[in-house]
Amino acid sequence: MAPEPRTGPGRGWLLRLVIAFAFAQGAVSMARPAVSYRALALGADETAVGVIAGVYALLPLFVAVPLGRRTDHGRCAPLLPLGVLLISGGCALSGIVSSLPAMAAWSGVMGLGHLCFVIGAQSIVARQSARDEQDRNFGHFTIGASLGQLIGPVAAGALISGQGGTLGRTSALALLVSAAVAAVALTSLWRIEHRRAKGAGGKPGHKVPVRAILGARGVPAGIFISMAVLSATDILTAYLPVVGEHRSIAPATVGLLLSLRAAATIACRLVMSPLLGLLGRRALLTSSCLLAGLLCAGVALPVSVPVLAVMLAVLGFCLGVGQPLSMTTVVRAAPERARSTALALRLTGNRLGQVAAPAAAGLIAGAVGVAAPFVLLGVGLVGAAGLGLRGEGRPESGRAPGESGTAPAPSESATAPVRPESGTVRPESGTAPPESGTAPPESGTAPPETGTAPVRRPGFDGAPRS
């Protein structure tokens, strides 16, 4: 396979994409705890909070693959402003409505906008990055998400106050501010997809089957690892406020704890390349998931706030590994003209986890306690560590299993005629061929020297015959 072309000088497009992603993710990270606090102010219990958090991922669950199909055969950039507008509208309307079902619906719109933005952005990074740049570029791309997760909870914690029965009003204000923050991302969405790489995507009518994509070794493991890591991050964002309410931790302190976790994730992604060189991909992925699982389960323990801060910092560093490496794993394992669909399948797995994990967390929290969901997440991360031990599949995957995109090199045993050097001598190889237009296509000894020389068929041994 020919090496992937580099698409233009510099990496200004990546910087602008990181900035836009930081604002979009910051708005979502600010809105998610604000939605939880507003739901609590409207009378929701732990189970209802889990259901509302799950609806955020429910609508995207059904549209991720169609969006990926469209992106494989078209431009990626139009999804970015669409995603920003949906995020901004979902945040604003979640702060205006006063019923739990309406909040759940607009939370779903917010999730759809986030999905549109992420599919478009990840597809741009995959399409415009050479193979040896993918780990670095995906790592830097996810720094935008971590920046948003760092700033968003702090801003939400500063705006939200439960004193004097003002929780409903201050959480609504935080949602309106998050809508404005999302809109700022539109200012960086220029000249990001400056040209489409040749060969990116096939004809619109040709679709690589989803089964073939999922059958590529490395794709299922990358999807599950990403789902486990994102579910842990999501539950931390949505349920740490509930834990804080039960342990009498102020909303501002909860926001600082979530931002500390995000800051540690940023630090991890800044040193991703040295870590990969020191430990290797498999060891880094496995050890980070295993340690994250143990720490995530440890959040269930009734520890003091300083100890919880240390645990969340180390947990954030470990969680910073899974997302960029799972993106690279899926992109490298998937068929070349179905990479956006493969990334969409990865996001579908993420959203499935975001639907199932909060719903299960809500049921477990209602039946056992608010700390129990973190134990469930710890088990999932330990399972992801086991998948990391299996490696990431083929070093290069340009075709799906069973796909015949290009014809294989002809085999000597399958199509080549028996050459005179072999044990069986062809009947016409004993004498020089007659110099006429009826000479056989393969001569035994004398090379053709006339204008009627037969056309050679290259590809059998690659060298001229003598």
Side-chain angles (χ1 to χ4, degrees):
M1 178 182 298
E4 297 175 19
R6 299 175 186 269
T7 55
R11 296 164 63 211
W13 63 271
L14 183 59
L15 177 60
R16 291 190 292 273
L17 187 61
V18 169
I19 293 173
F21 195 21
F23 280 104
Q25 185 65 54
V28 171
S29 298
M30 185 177 178
R32 298 300 303 283
V35 166
S36 296
Y37 280 120
R38 181 158 173 77
L40 291 172
L42 294 176
D45 57 10
E46 290 85 356
T47 302
V49 171
V51 171
I52 292 174
V55 172
Y56 168 84
L58 185 61
L59 184 58
L61 189 63
F62 298 102
V63 300
V65 172
L67 282 175
R69 295 283 196 199
R70 176 228 172 262
T71 307
D72 272 323
H73 307 294
R75 297 181 62 228
C76 310
L79 287 177
L80 304 183
L82 174 63
V84 170
L85 293 175
L86 290 175
I87 291 172
S88 183
C91 292
L93 291 169
S94 294
I96 293 175
V97 298
S98 58
S99 68
L100 294 179
M103 282 194 66
W106 290 116
S107 179
V109 171
M110 187 197 316
L112 178 60
H114 188 262
L115 177 79
C116 290
F117 188 96
V118 172
I119 286 182
Q122 289 183 6
S123 299
I124 289 175
V125 175
R127 187 173 292 179
Q128 298 186 173
S129 300
R131 180 178 173 83
D132 59 348
E133 297 175 337
Q134 286 174 347
D135 277 329
R136 182 195 66 188
N137 287 356
F138 274 121
H140 289 174
F141 166 72
T142 53
I143 287 176
S146 299
L147 285 171
Q149 292 167 356
L150 171 67
I151 299 170
V154 171
L159 290 172
I160 298 172
S161 172
Q163 298 178 354
T166 61
L167 184 61
R169 180 177 58 83
T170 56
S171 59
L173 174 63
L175 286 167
L176 294 175
V177 172
S178 66
V181 171
V184 177
L186 293 172
T187 61
S188 294
L189 298 179
W190 53 277
R191 293 185 63 189
I192 288 179
E193 191 181 22
H194 47 272
R195 77 176 179 89
R196 185 179 178 185
K198 293 182 180 180
K203 297 180 180 179
H206 184 83
K207 297 179 180 179
V208 179
V210 171
R211 182 178 300 179
I213 300 172
L214 293 175
R217 183 179 176 184
V219 172
I223 290 174
F224 183 82
I225 291 170
S226 176
M227 180 173 64
V229 171
L230 185 64
S231 295
T233 304
D234 202 60
I235 293 299
L236 279 173
T237 303
Y239 259 78
L240 200 60
V242 181
V243 173
E245 284 289 298
H246 281 257
R247 297 184 186 177
S248 299
I249 302 175
T253 303
V254 171
L256 288 174
L257 290 173
L258 290 173
S259 296
L260 180 62
R261 195 276 312 161
T265 299
I266 294 175
C268 170
R269 288 166 181 171
L270 288 173
V271 297
M272 181 74 70
S273 295
L275 287 175
L276 285 169
L278 179 65
L279 299 176
R281 178 183 297 272
R282 183 182 302 184
L284 179 61
L285 193 57
T286 301
S287 60
S288 64
C289 287
L290 180 61
L291 183 55
L294 296 176
L295 289 170
C296 201
V299 174
L301 301 175
V303 297
S304 63
V305 172
V307 174
L308 183 61
V310 173
M311 292 173 61
L312 288 174
V314 181
L315 176 59
F317 192 91
C318 294
L319 291 176
V321 174
Q323 292 288 33
L325 290 192
S326 69
M327 292 178 198
T328 305
T329 297
V330 169
V331 165
R332 291 182 177 180
E336 183 178 2
R337 61 176 176 270
R339 287 176 175 174
S340 294
T341 304
L343 288 169
L345 286 170
R346 174 184 168 276
L347 291 173
T348 300
N350 289 350
R351 295 304 186 257
L352 182 62
Q354 287 180 304
V355 170
L363 293 175
I364 294 174
V368 181
V370 295
F374 296 100
V375 178
L376 178 65
L377 293 175
V379 173
L381 287 168
V382 172
L387 286 177
L389 286 173
R390 300 181 59 185
E392 64 175 65
R394 297 168 293 181
E396 181 67 48
S397 177
R399 299 192 303 270
E403 186 187 348
S404 56
T406 58
S411 169
E412 291 190 349
S413 61
T415 58
V418 178
R419 302 204 306 265
E421 293 83 358
S422 64
T424 303
V425 180
R426 296 177 57 183
E428 66 271 25
S429 63
T431 60
E435 298 187 12
S436 65
T438 59
E442 288 290 341
S443 173
T445 55
E449 297 179 353
T450 67
T452 58
V455 178
R456 294 183 181 273
R457 287 182 290 178
F460 298 128
D461 57 8
R465 307 192 185 282
S466 60

